[in-house]
């Protein structure tokens, strides 16, 4: 069974937009949860101050062998410039992806041979 939840929030006062997508999936082998989010914050600037730095990328991965759970996170943070009419805007963004997988069947090492002669 798969369910998808989509949220879109924005604030004109604070010039912010957030889009998030949550997915839950369950089958015979595992339960999977996926969360995707996109955050944008816009600020008007008088002029471009110079080149922006490269976006920062963060990656985390974990595996718990006792509970058979896997976790993966990927995040990108950065900024870019855009113009609209005669104004220049700086847009700070953060894109994130988180994946949780819980395996239903525990995988153990193979049994030792019975014949030890």
């Amino acid at each position: 069974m798969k369910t998808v939840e989509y949220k879109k929030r924005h604030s004109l006062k604070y010039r912010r937009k957030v889009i998030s997508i949550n997915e839950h999936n369950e089958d015979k082998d595992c339960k999977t949860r996926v969360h995707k989010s996109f955050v944008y914050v816009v600020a008007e600037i008088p002029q471009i101050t110079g080149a922006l730095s490269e976006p920062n990328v963060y990656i985390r991965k974990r595996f718990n062998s006792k509970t058979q759970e896997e976790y993966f996170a990927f995040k990108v943070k950065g900024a870019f410039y855009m113009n609209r009419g005669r104004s220049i805007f700086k847009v700070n963004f953060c894109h994130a992806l988180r994946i949780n997988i819980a395996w239903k069947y525990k995988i153990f090492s193979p049994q030792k041979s019975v014949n030890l002669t």
Side-chain angles (χ1 to χ4, degrees):
M1 183 174 128
K2 182 176 183 177
T3 60
V4 178
E5 179 183 350
Y6 176 80
K7 292 181 185 177
K8 182 178 175 183
R9 299 179 303 254
H10 65 278
S11 170
L12 295 176
K13 180 179 178 181
Y14 298 107
R15 296 185 178 189
R16 181 180 330 159
K17 182 179 270 192
V18 178
I19 301 169
S20 64
I21 302 167
N22 294 316
E23 297 178 25
H24 301 283
N25 191 10
E26 185 173 350
D27 58 6
K28 65 178 183 169
D29 295 330
C30 64
K31 291 181 185 180
T32 306
R33 300 174 84 194
V34 178
H35 175 76
K36 303 171 198 170
S37 68
F38 308 92
V39 179
Y40 300 97
V41 180
V42 179
E44 187 174 359
I45 57 173
Q47 64 182 9
I48 296 177
T49 57
L52 294 171
S53 62
E54 295 289 323
N56 295 326
V57 177
Y58 305 96
I59 299 173
R60 285 181 282 160
K61 186 174 180 179
R62 266 192 323 254
F63 180 75
N64 188 340
S65 59
K66 290 184 180 180
T67 60
Q68 293 295 313
E69 293 178 347
E70 293 183 52
Y71 174 78
F72 175 78
F74 178 79
K75 187 182 283 190
V76 179
K77 288 185 175 183
F80 60 89
Y81 294 116
M82 65 178 284
N83 58 354
R84 183 169 173 97
R86 295 184 180 201
S87 301
I88 300 173
F89 296 95
K90 181 179 180 184
V91 180
N92 294 313
F93 67 89
C94 179
H95 298 174
L97 170 68
R98 292 192 312 257
I99 302 172
N100 292 321
I101 301 173
W103 296 97
K104 292 183 180 178
Y105 303 107
K106 295 188 177 186
I107 302 168
F108 295 107
S109 61
Q111 298 291 329
K112 293 183 180 179
S113 176
V114 182
N115 300 335
L116 296 174
T117 57

